[in-house]
């Protein structure tokens, strides 16, 4: 066996499996998003840490060798400034509001829709062309247990 071939095989086997990939993770300054960012960086990906919490996003990015992007995902213009070169997108940012429907503020509903529906759409609309061009991409949409079962809001619901 050619010694150059065996050393090349050994080097590639030792490299983390996401080396050369870029991951964009929303809500990455804390919680599940941070855990995803840490895991992706550990697997070799360059991680784009997206969050509206500037200090925490910066600390997470610094801790994993990533890049922080401070963005309020409820603002379409802010979403449209995010990088478009991600191979992996983790849509994790989210929020909730528990109230009976008749008391649920319409502006809060609109905010939830912008962050958890419109922002992922806009991010994917920007990143999918890059994924198609490279012939490789992954999209992970995170949901809490509330994706399967709603919270009890009160005894009169």
């Amino acid at each position: 066996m050619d010694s150059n071939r065996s050393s090349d095989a050994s080097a590639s086997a030792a490299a983390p499996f996401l080396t050369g990939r870029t991951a964009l993770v929303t809500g990455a300054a804390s919680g599940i998003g941070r855990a995803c960012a840490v895991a992706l960086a550990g697997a070799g990906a360059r991680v784009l840490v997206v969050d509206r919490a500037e200090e925490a996003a910066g600390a997470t990015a610094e801790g994993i060798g990533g890049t922080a992007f401070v963005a309020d995902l409820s603002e379409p213009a802010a979403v449209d400034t995010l990088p478009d070169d991600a191979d992996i997108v983790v849509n994790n940012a989210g929020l909730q509001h528990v109230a009976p429907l008749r008391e649920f503020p319409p502006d809060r509903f609109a905010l939830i829709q912008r962050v958890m529906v419109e922002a992922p759409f806009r991010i994917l609309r920007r990143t999918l062309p890059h994924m198609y061009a490279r012939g490789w991409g992954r999209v992970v949409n995170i949901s809490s247990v509330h994706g399967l079962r709603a919270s009890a809001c009160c005894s009169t619901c």
Side-chain angles (χ1 to χ4, degrees), residues 34 36-42 45-49 59-67:
R34 184 180 188 287
C36 290
V38 168
L40 289 162
R46 176 176 72 100
V47 180
L48 311 175
V49 174
T60 296
E62 183 177 329
I64 62 172
T67 305

Side-chain angles (χ1 to χ4, degrees), residues 25-125:
V25 182
T26 66
S30 63
I32 294 169
R34 184 180 188 287
C36 290
V38 168
L40 289 162
R46 176 176 72 100
V47 180
L48 311 175
V49 174
V50 179
D51 206 288
R52 65 183 185 159
E54 182 175 5
E55 189 173 315
T60 296
E62 183 177 329
I64 62 172
T67 305
F69 289 88
V70 178
D72 180 346
L73 299 182
S74 71
E75 298 293 334
V79 175
D80 292 343
T81 66
L82 295 175
D84 62 0
D85 64 342
D87 304 298
I88 302 162
V89 172
V90 179
N91 290 307
N92 170 71
L95 63 147
Q96 76 171 16
H97 182 87
V98 178
L101 184 61
R102 66 189 174 279
E103 297 171 16
F104 203 104
D107 60 331
R108 187 68 173 181
F109 178 80
L111 173 69
I112 291 168
Q113 293 299 305
R114 286 192 311 274
V115 171
M116 297 170 63
V117 178
E118 186 177 349
F121 165 79
R122 286 178 172 279
I123 290 168
L124 291 177
R125 189 168 183 271

